[in-house]
Amino acid sequence: MTHHVHNGTVDTGARDHDPLDPDDVFLQEPELDAKGRPVLTAAQRKKRRWKIIRRSLYAFVGLFIVIPAIAFVITYFSVDVPSPQSVASTQSQAVTYLYADGSPMGKDVPSGGNRQILTSQQIPDIVKHAVIATEDASFETNSGFDVTGILRAVYNQVTGGSGGGSTISQQYIKKATDNDAPTLTRKWTELAKSFKMNQTYEKQDIITAYLNIIYFGRGAYGIGAASQAFFHKDVSQLDYSQAALLAGLIQQPGRSENTKVATGRWNTALDRMLQNHYITQQQRASAQFPTPISLADSKGDSGAPYSFISDQVRLEMTQHGIPDDKYYSGGYTVQTTIDKKAQDAAQQAATDVLKDQVDDRLLDALVAIDPKTGGVLAYYGGPVTVDVNGQKQAARDWADTPQNPGSSMKAYDLTAFLKMGNGINKTFDGSNNRVFDGRKVRNAGPSSSCSTQCTVAEAMMRSANTVFYDMVLNVTHQVPVEQAAQEAGVRTTSDGGKSEISTKDNNISLGGGDTRITPADMAAGYSTFAANGVQRDRHFVLKVTNAQNEIAYEATPSAGKPAFAGDADLSKQIAGNVTKALKPVIDFSHLKCPPGHDCAGKTGTQQHTKRANEPAWSADANAQTWMVGYTPSVSVAAWVGADGDQNLHGKNNSPIFGSTIAGPLWQKFMTAYLAGKPSEKFDDVPLIGEAAPPSDGPSDTNTPPPDNQGDPTTPPTNTGDQPTGDPGNNPNQPSRTPKPPKHSQTNGPTDSGGPPNPGNQ
């Protein structure tokens, strides 16, 4: 309250109209304005103005400097900066595939595009300078953000101009966190992270990290992928003009194929490189626009490897500590066991054998394995896509799909038999239409039957069903056959594989019923015979390196293990006796081994089960056919069949057999792959068991089809000895005995469903 003096008397009851400083006390009645307020002097007014300004400045500093500074410090200590290493580990990068000899196979590119993480030393300075000049000229000196750039960006937004104020550090944070929300909170946090990053990491680390994740167009993330996508060059080979184009495209990667835009951005980059003294005036004047390779060629360079191979590789990498969720994160290069010559031969042969077939349901697969290492040399599981109602869909990998192996299972029957000390010269009744426990077992025609004193060796050559059904039912029993197959390398569902071997009935002896094995497993199993009884695990991967060229996994050469006995010599003897029995099958089936090489193998056929609405010829049709064979250096399983139990046929509705399509597929591959390779012979081993009995002389039923009866790829005209009706429940059913097929051993059919069916070959 102000005390006013009236004629020397202090008035304490007067009310203040406007608060004044102590200096404003009047000793006499002041002059009042129209509103009754005291009129201030000039000095008083000046003093009051400065007071208001001073207080406003305090408020401004507090509001716009002190409080933001405190908030920035708090934010600085609360945020985590994504390190270049952590970002690299989470970025999806292409996986590069190599053949066994180190030549390129292709790239498995993630859905987000191709990426390649490089070290600072792998990126030349001219590339770094081009990007710095184009994107953030003050990069070397700023603290993660550029105040003038921010003000320029604000001005451009207000005036409708273009151009941002983000530094390279800010762009990195934006890409690394995958957060581009147009909010003040995001921008504020980005500034704090950018500043903190520049206090934490060297500039070389920051520009390298940025160049590894930024998008350039053509699906290329990072300078390494961009260098390949635009110029088919390693980044170390880029010149300043090419570097300028890539740097310019960072602003407009989506228009990289627009020549006018690309040229404009290239010129901008060069001008800024000149301004920043990264190139000379002479270099600027002489620069020529570096025309990129065509987009089609760019895509071809990063073409994906055969997807069924990459699927198998991914599965194997998971088993070796590189799980599926890390597959795209390491910038991995995978050197596979695949031999380019073998893979090309497999795909060509698989295409050729189906080219002239009349049944468009036919499918095929082929797997080749090196018995000396266990490495997969070739892997073909059919086309990777199928057309369904005009739409492309992913196809099934038929090389990894279990199928009834038919008579190719007899090699494991024999292995179990030999392990018991029995030999290939032991005799059985090989005649046709034998009855076991009330069930009639048939051979596949005269050429598949032999005498009542038929050796196991001859029965294998002829594929006499009655002998092997008898052998497993009455001598080895079913479980030892399953064990022999697993010891050879067949991976069943019980040990993480896909193949199934059923011991619930004797159908296992002829490879029917619930016994189903993948072509990959058949190739692996027979490779153990080729390797003299030494089993080595099937594998696709030789070595895996990461983006820093560090070894992430490397396969060690496998000495293998004796498969069929604890003693290596005995295991070799057993495998060698199997080979002795399988060698004659090649000629008997009218197949040819490449000159200079020993071959052994076995065909197999699984019969189709005729349905009520199908034509009469379906009763003789087959659904699965095989040829599995080997030399000392390669084991190959060839399968030709269909999706499920189909009544497959050749010309004039004739049935197909293992020796009529699968056999030629095997032969075509062997001929192409082994061409020019050194001659090889199987090791000779002592026979197990007794010597061969004296011959009773040839008979008509023991004579194989003559070799001069035409092209072995021509399908036979009948299925062999297969009665109509239920083949397993009526032992008195009369059997038909048609003529044997003209061009091959007749691969007798079996049922693929219902009760155990002993009519397989």
Side-chain angles (χ1 to χ4, degrees):
M1 177 177 293
T2 303
H3 300 274
H4 297 275
V5 179
H6 298 277
N7 300 320
T9 304
V10 177
D11 182 3
T12 59
R15 184 177 178 180
D16 245 339
H17 295 284
D18 193 17
L20 300 173
D21 285 342
D23 294 340
D24 293 337
V25 175
F26 296 93
L27 296 180
Q28 60 183 4
E29 186 70 28
E31 183 181 355
L32 301 177
D33 61 15
K35 293 184 178 181
R37 295 174 301 184
V39 177
L40 300 178
T41 66
Q44 290 172 328
R45 286 195 299 272
K46 182 179 179 181
K47 194 171 187 178
R48 176 165 292 191
R49 280 198 303 270
W50 277 112
K51 181 175 64 176
I52 294 171
I53 292 172
R54 189 169 59 250
R55 290 177 178 176
S56 298
L57 286 173
Y58 291 156
F60 180 86
V61 170
L63 183 62
F64 293 101
I65 297 178
V66 177
I67 293 176
I70 294 172
F72 190 84
V73 171
I74 294 173
T75 306
Y76 178 92
F77 286 105
S78 64
V79 297
D80 292 323
V81 178
S83 70
Q85 294 79 12
S86 65
V87 172
S89 68
T90 58
Q91 291 293 320
S92 293
Q93 304 164 57
V95 180
T96 301
Y97 280 74
L98 306 176
Y99 288 105
D101 62 1
S103 60
M105 180 188 295
K107 291 183 180 180
D108 187 359
V109 179
S111 58
N114 188 12
R115 303 174 192 260
Q116 184 181 359
I117 304 299
L118 303 177
T119 64
S120 179
Q121 291 74 25
Q122 290 175 301
I123 305 174
D125 286 342
I126 190 61
V127 173
K128 297 173 186 174
H129 291 161
V131 174
I132 289 171
T134 308
E135 289 297 305
D136 183 8
S138 66
F139 171 75
E140 296 287 0
T141 57
N142 67 48
S143 297
F145 55 86
D146 182 4
V147 175
T148 59
I150 294 174
L151 295 176
R152 185 172 58 252
V154 172
Y155 174 79
N156 287 334
Q157 288 187 355
V158 171
T159 60
S162 61
S166 294
T167 63
I168 282 176
S169 299
Q170 289 173 267
Q171 291 183 55
Y172 169 81
I173 294 295
K174 187 186 302 181
K175 295 294 183 183
T177 58
D178 197 25
N179 185 358
D180 196 21
T183 63
L184 291 175
T185 301
R186 193 273 302 172
K187 194 69 175 177
W188 177 262
T189 305
E190 179 186 288
L191 289 173
K193 288 184 176 182
S194 299
F195 181 74
K196 189 171 186 176
M197 183 178 190
N198 278 262
Q199 308 308 306
T200 308
Y201 299 102
E202 298 292 334
K203 289 289 186 178
Q204 285 295 315
D205 295 330
I206 297 173
I207 186 62
T208 300
Y210 174 78
L211 284 170
N212 275 327
I213 67 173
I214 202 68
Y215 183 57
F216 290 86
R218 292 192 171 186
Y221 287 82
I223 190 66
S227 181
Q228 292 290 344
F230 285 88
F231 301 112
H232 271 190
K233 284 186 175 182
D234 184 82
V235 66
S236 64
Q237 299 175 319
L238 293 177
D239 59 34
Y240 76 92
S241 181
Q242 293 164 335
L245 175 59
L246 294 180
L249 290 176
I250 292 174
Q251 284 294 321
Q252 298 189 40
R255 304 180 71 185
S256 61
E257 306 313 305
N258 185 313
T259 303
K260 182 178 180 180
V261 171
T263 303
R265 293 301 304 162
W266 172 74
N267 278 309
T268 297
L270 285 175
D271 290 341
R272 293 181 180 177
M273 290 172 72
L274 178 61
Q275 292 169 10
N276 285 268
H277 309 293
Y278 292 138
I279 60 174
T280 66
Q281 183 65 54
Q282 181 180 358
Q283 286 176 308
R284 177 65 184 96
S286 62
Q288 299 291 321
F289 181 75
T291 303
I293 61 174
S294 69
L295 185 60
D297 289 340
S298 173
K299 292 180 178 179
D301 177 66
S302 59
Y306 184 58
S307 65
F308 293 150
I309 291 177
S310 61
D311 289 345
Q312 294 295 325
V313 167
R314 290 183 71 161
L315 178 62
E316 195 168 308
M317 289 173 68
T318 298
Q319 298 166 353
H320 296 301
I322 305 175
D324 202 56
D325 60 348
K326 301 296 183 184
Y327 174 75
Y328 287 122
S329 67
Y332 295 114
T333 295
V334 182
Q335 185 175 5
T336 70
T337 61
I338 300 295
D339 181 288
K340 187 177 190 309
K341 179 181 179 181
Q343 186 65 25
D344 290 345
Q347 295 189 196
Q348 188 63 52
T351 301
D352 288 346
V353 297
L354 296 186
K355 185 167 52 180
D356 297 324
Q357 294 298 320
V358 297
D359 194 334
D360 60 8
R361 297 169 299 171
L362 287 172
L363 303 164
D364 59 1
L366 186 145
V367 180
I369 293 176
D370 183 348
K372 296 179 174 62
T373 65
V376 179
L377 299 172
Y379 189 90
Y380 180 77
V384 297
T385 60
V386 292
D387 195 326
V388 178
N389 298 324
Q391 299 293 323
K392 292 291 185 183
Q393 295 184 8
R396 187 184 304 178
D397 179 0
W398 297 105
D400 199 35
T401 301
Q403 311 284 358
N404 291 125
S407 284
S408 60
M409 191 71 186
K410 290 173 182 174
Y412 304 124
D413 298 347
L414 176 56
T415 302
F417 186 70
L418 292 167
K419 287 180 63 178
M420 299 175 67
N422 302 300
I424 61 175
N425 287 320
K426 189 173 180 64
T427 59
F428 286 83
D429 182 354
S431 56
N432 193 23
N433 293 329
R434 293 184 61 196
V435 177
F436 299 90
D437 297 332
R439 301 187 63 235
K440 183 186 292 184
V441 177
R442 294 171 295 279
N443 295 323
S447 66
S448 293
S449 295
C450 52
S451 69
T452 57
Q453 294 295 312
C454 181
T455 67
V456 171
E458 183 179 358
M460 182 67 80
M461 179 186 72
R462 297 179 176 281
S463 203
N465 292 332
T466 54
V467 169
F468 288 93
Y469 194 88
D470 189 353
M471 176 191 294
V472 175
L473 182 66
N474 296 310
V475 181
T476 69
H477 307 300
Q478 294 83 17
V479 171
V481 175
E482 177 191 33
Q483 292 173 340
Q486 291 174 324
E487 290 166 348
V490 174
R491 299 175 184 171
T492 61
T493 53
S494 61
D495 57 9
K498 289 189 175 181
S499 295
E500 304 167 348
I501 300 178
S502 173
T503 59
K504 68 181 181 182
D505 53 50
N506 206 44
N507 223 15
I508 184 177
S509 62
L510 305 179
D514 292 333
T515 293
R516 300 178 181 89
I517 301 178
T518 69
D521 277 333
M522 289 302 287
Y526 274 50
S527 74
T528 300
F529 302 136
N532 293 317
V534 176
Q535 192 271 326
R536 296 178 175 88
D537 289 340
R538 176 176 84 246
H539 63 280
F540 286 80
V541 180
L542 283 177
K543 184 170 66 174
V544 181
T545 56
N546 61 21
Q548 289 73 44
N549 203 32
E550 300 166 337
I551 296 177
Y553 167 76
E554 186 169 17
T556 55
S558 173
K561 60 184 179 182
F564 308 120
D567 179 75
D569 290 337
L570 179 55
S571 184
K572 177 178 180 178
Q573 188 181 15
I574 292 170
N577 275 252
V578 173
T579 297
K580 284 179 181 289
L582 295 180
K583 280 183 68 176
V585 173
I586 304 299
D587 287 339
F588 193 86
S589 300
H590 292 281
L591 298 172
K592 295 187 181 299
C593 188
H597 298 271
D598 275 354
C599 294
K602 188 71 188 75
T603 55
T605 303
Q606 174 72 18
Q607 190 187 16
H608 164 67
T609 302
K610 184 181 181 301
R611 301 180 182 92
N613 60 342
E614 292 180 338
W617 58 263
S618 295
D620 294 330
N622 295 317
Q624 316 289 340
T625 66
W626 295 79
M627 173 59 198
V628 190
Y630 54 93
T631 71
S633 65
V634 60
S635 173
V636 180
W639 168 85
V640 176
D643 185 359
D645 182 13
Q646 304 290 332
N647 56 345
L648 303 178
H649 62 85
K651 295 177 181 178
N652 301 318
N653 294 326
S654 59
I656 65 170
F657 293 89
S659 58
T660 59
I661 305 179
L665 169 56
W666 176 88
Q667 180 175 301
K668 284 176 181 289
F669 171 82
M670 284 293 205
T671 300
Y673 174 64
L674 293 174
K677 293 188 180 296
S679 298
E680 52 186 347
K681 303 294 180 182
F682 293 122
D683 291 348
D684 193 22
V685 298
L687 283 175
I688 295 175
E690 65 269 26
S695 173
D696 292 333
S699 67
D700 289 341
T701 59
N702 288 345
T703 303
D707 289 340
N708 59 357
Q709 292 188 353
D711 183 352
T713 62
T714 303
T717 57
N718 58 72
T719 62
D721 188 10
Q722 175 67 35
T724 57
D726 183 349
N729 296 327
N730 187 358
N732 299 317
Q733 173 85 36
S735 65
R736 298 172 295 167
T737 309
K739 296 179 181 179
K742 294 173 62 178
H743 308 301
S744 70
Q745 153 200 12
T746 304
N747 290 343
T750 74
D751 242 332
S752 56
N757 182 1
N760 178 50
Q761 174 156 344

